[in-house]
C-alpha cells in the first residue's frame, strides 16, 4: 500500500504495484510503467467534508528518473488503443473502511489522445477532481483510493499489456468550525488548486487572497499566491507575495519544515524582477524590489492600485539590508 499527499508542495514517495495476472499478460522481460497517485490534501493525511478533492495520477517509465540522471536513454513503453483515449484503460476506485465501493462523481479534467509513450522525457499526467458539493455528501471516515492501469484488453498489438496500480488512504474529516490560521490557509490552498485545475485562475487567486486576509503570514498561501500571480502575468503581485513569503519564512524557527528555503524564494523573486523593464527594476538592486509608478520621475499620472491594502507589504522595509543572510 502506498500513500501520497501534497501539502506545502511536499510529496511522499509512492511505488507502483503490479497486480496478480499482469506478469503472464506481458512479453518475457517486459517492464510495466510506474503508476503514481497523489491527493491535494487539506491537512495531514486527509481533507474535509465540503472541500474539493484534486487527485493527480502519473504514469511514468520505471527507469526514467535513473536514466535521466545518468544522461542515458530507455526503451520507450507504449500504451495505445485503436480509437478513443488511452484513459479508457484507467479506473479510479474509492472504498470506505468497510471495503464498499463509493460512487463518487469524479470528473476527469485532462484531455488525452489514443496513445501514451513513456520515456525519460514523456509521461502521462491526469487530473481528476471532486467538487465541494460532492464531498459534502459522504460520511466522515477513512477511505482508500486506488487507481488501475489495465492494458491487457482493448489495446493495439504493439502496446504494453499488463496491469499496474497504486493506492493511498486518506481521512475525510468534519470541517473545523473555528479554523486556525493554518487551516484557513489550507482551505484557501485546496480551493485554489481546485479552481486552477478547472482553468479558473482568477477565482483561484481570489481564494488565496481571502485566506491571506484572515491568515496573512501563512507561508503556503503566500508562495502559492506568488506562483499564481506569475502565471497570471502579474509581476508586481508575484514580487510582493514572494517578498512577504521570504519575511514569513525568516520568522520561522531554524529547524521548521517549510515549502522552501528563503534563498530559493529569493531566487524565484529575483527571476520575476528580471522580467520587468530595466526602468522599473530598483537601481541599487536592493533585495527583490522594483520602482513603483509613484517613485518613477517620468511616470505621469499613476493608476490606483487594484490590490487590497492588506495584501501589499510595507515597501519601506525593502530598502533595509537583510541581516539574516537567508
Amino acid at each position: 500500500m502506498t500513500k501520497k499527499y501534497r501539502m506545502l508542495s511536499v510529496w511522499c514517495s509512492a511505488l507502483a504495484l503490479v497486480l496478480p495476472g499482469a506478469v503472464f499478460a506481458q512479453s518475457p522481460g517486459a517492464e510495466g510503467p510506474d503508476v503514481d497517485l497523489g491527493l491535494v490534501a487539506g491537512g495531514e493525511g486527509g481533507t474535509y467534508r465540503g472541500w474539493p478533492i484534486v487527485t493527480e495520477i502519473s504514469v511514468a517509465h520505471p527507469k526514467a528518473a535513473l536514466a535521466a540522471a545518468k544522461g542515458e536513454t530507455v526503451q520507450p513503453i507504449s500504451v495505445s488503443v485503436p480509437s478513443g483515449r488511452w484513459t479508457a484503460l484507467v479506473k479510479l476506485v474509492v472504498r470506505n473502511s468497510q471495503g464498499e465501493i463509493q460512487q463518487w462523481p469524479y470528473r476527469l479534467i485532462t484531455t488525452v489522445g489514443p496513445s501514451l509513450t513513456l520515456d525519460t522525457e514523456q509521461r502521462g499526467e491526469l487530473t481528476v477532481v471532486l467538487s465541494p458539493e460532492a464531498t459534502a455528501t459522504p460520511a466522515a471516515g477513512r477511505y482508500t483510493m486506488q487507481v488501475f492501469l489495465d492494458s491487457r484488453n482493448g489495446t493495439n498489438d504493439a502496446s504494453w499489456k499488463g496491469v499496474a496500480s497504486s493506492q493511498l488512504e486518506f481521512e475525510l474529516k468534519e470541517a473545523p468550525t473555528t479554523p486556525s490560521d493554518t487551516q484557513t490557509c489550507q482551505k484557501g490552498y485546496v480551493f485554489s488548486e481546485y479552481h486552477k485545475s478547472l482553468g479558473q485562475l482568477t477565482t483561484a487567486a481570489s481564494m488565496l487572497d481571502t485566506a491571506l486576509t484572515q491568515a496573512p503570514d501563512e507561508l503556503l498561501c503566500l508562495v502559492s499566491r506568488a506562483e499564481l500571480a506569475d502565471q497570471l502575468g502579474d509581476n508586481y503581485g508575484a514580487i510582493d507575495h514572494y517578498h512577504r513569503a521570504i519575511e514569513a519564512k525568516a520568522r520561522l524557527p531554524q529547524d521548521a519544515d517549510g515549502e522552501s528555503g528563503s534563498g530559493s524564494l529569493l531566487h524565484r523573486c529575483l527571476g520575476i524582477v528580471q522580467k520587468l523593464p530595466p526602468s522599473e527594476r530598483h537601481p541599487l538592486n536592493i533585495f527583490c524590489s522594483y520602482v513603483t509608478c509613484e517613485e518613477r520621475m517620468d511616470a505621469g499620472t499613476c493608476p490606483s492600485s487594484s490590490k487590497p491594502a492588506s495584501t501589499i507589504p510595507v515597501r519601506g522595509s525593502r530598502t533595509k539590508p537583510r541581516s539574516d543572510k537567508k
Side-chain angles (χ1 to χ4, degrees):
M1 178 182 300
T2 61
K3 299 181 180 180
K4 188 177 179 188
Y5 303 97
R6 179 149 67 92
M7 177 52 63
L8 295 174
S9 299
V10 176
W11 288 67
C12 298
S13 61
L15 304 175
L17 306 176
V18 180
L19 300 183
V23 175
F24 67 77
Q26 303 174 48
S27 58
E31 286 190 272
D34 283 345
V35 177
D36 217 0
L37 181 63
L39 183 71
V40 177
E44 183 64 30
T47 190
Y48 298 98
R49 296 179 70 239
W51 292 21
I53 292 179
V54 180
T55 302
E56 297 175 341
I57 301 168
S58 173
V59 184
H61 195 290
K63 296 181 179 179
L66 181 59
K70 294 182 176 181
E72 300 174 349
T73 60
V74 295
Q75 181 66 35
I77 295 175
S78 175
V79 179
S80 60
V81 296
S83 62
R85 302 175 181 178
W86 64 264
T87 47
L89 308 172
V90 178
K91 184 177 182 180
L92 188 66
V93 179
V94 178
R95 292 183 171 86
N96 62 15
S97 57
Q98 289 76 45
E100 299 167 335
I101 295 179
Q102 306 298 292
Q103 301 299 323
W104 289 3
Y106 270 108
R107 175 183 173 189
L108 175 64
I109 299 300
T110 313
T111 301
V112 301
S115 64
L116 171 66
T117 300
L118 306 173
D119 53 29
T120 55
E121 297 182 352
Q122 302 179 85
R123 61 193 298 148
E125 301 282 355
L126 302 176
T127 300
V128 186
V129 300
L130 196 64
S131 70
E133 296 77 16
T135 66
T137 302
R142 296 203 66 81
Y143 292 86
T144 300
M145 181 183 296
Q146 188 167 18
V147 61
F148 298 90
L149 173 63
D150 187 350
S151 64
R152 292 174 297 181
N153 299 302
T155 52
N156 294 323
D157 292 341
S159 174
W160 169 80
K161 297 182 184 295
V163 183
S165 78
S166 182
Q167 72 177 41
L168 58 79
E169 290 185 354
F170 67 96
E171 185 177 3
L172 188 61
K173 299 172 282 190
E174 295 292 349
T177 54
T178 54
S180 63
D181 283 357
T182 297
Q183 290 169 329
T184 296
C185 174
Q186 288 171 349
K187 182 176 181 179
Y189 171 74
V190 171
F191 272 81
S192 175
E193 290 296 301
Y194 171 70
H195 287 288
K196 278 175 60 178
S197 69
L198 298 176
Q200 302 166 350
L201 299 187
T202 302
T203 303
S206 70
M207 296 291 103
L208 290 171
D209 287 340
T210 299
L212 286 169
T213 298
Q214 303 172 50
D217 297 322
E218 288 296 316
L219 185 61
L220 170 63
C221 283
L222 289 169
V223 174
S224 299
R225 186 62 180 88
E227 293 172 346
L228 191 51
D230 186 21
Q231 283 185 265
L232 290 167
D234 179 10
N235 294 326
Y236 309 107
I239 293 169
D240 286 339
H241 284 91
Y242 273 130
H243 178 76
R244 290 177 58 189
I246 293 167
E247 292 189 334
K249 176 67 177 177
R251 289 192 293 268
L252 293 175
Q254 292 295 320
D255 59 348
D257 292 331
E259 186 277 341
S260 175
S262 295
S264 176
L265 294 176
L266 177 58
H267 179 76
R268 296 191 215 175
C269 188
L270 292 174
I272 304 296
V273 172
Q274 293 304 309
K275 297 180 181 181
L276 301 176
S279 62
E280 297 180 17
R281 303 172 196 168
H282 200 288
L284 299 180
N285 197 27
I286 292 176
F287 172 63
C288 198
S289 186
Y290 57 85
V291 179
T292 67
C293 177
E294 292 81 1
E295 293 167 339
R296 294 199 297 272
M297 297 297 295
D298 58 347
T301 302
C302 295
S304 58
S305 174
S306 60
K307 299 187 183 74
S310 60
T311 69
I312 303 177
V314 178
R315 196 168 304 282
S317 63
R318 294 171 184 246
T319 62
K320 299 177 182 179
R322 292 181 61 81
S323 60
D324 56 15
K325 306 300 182 182
K326 290 187 179 288

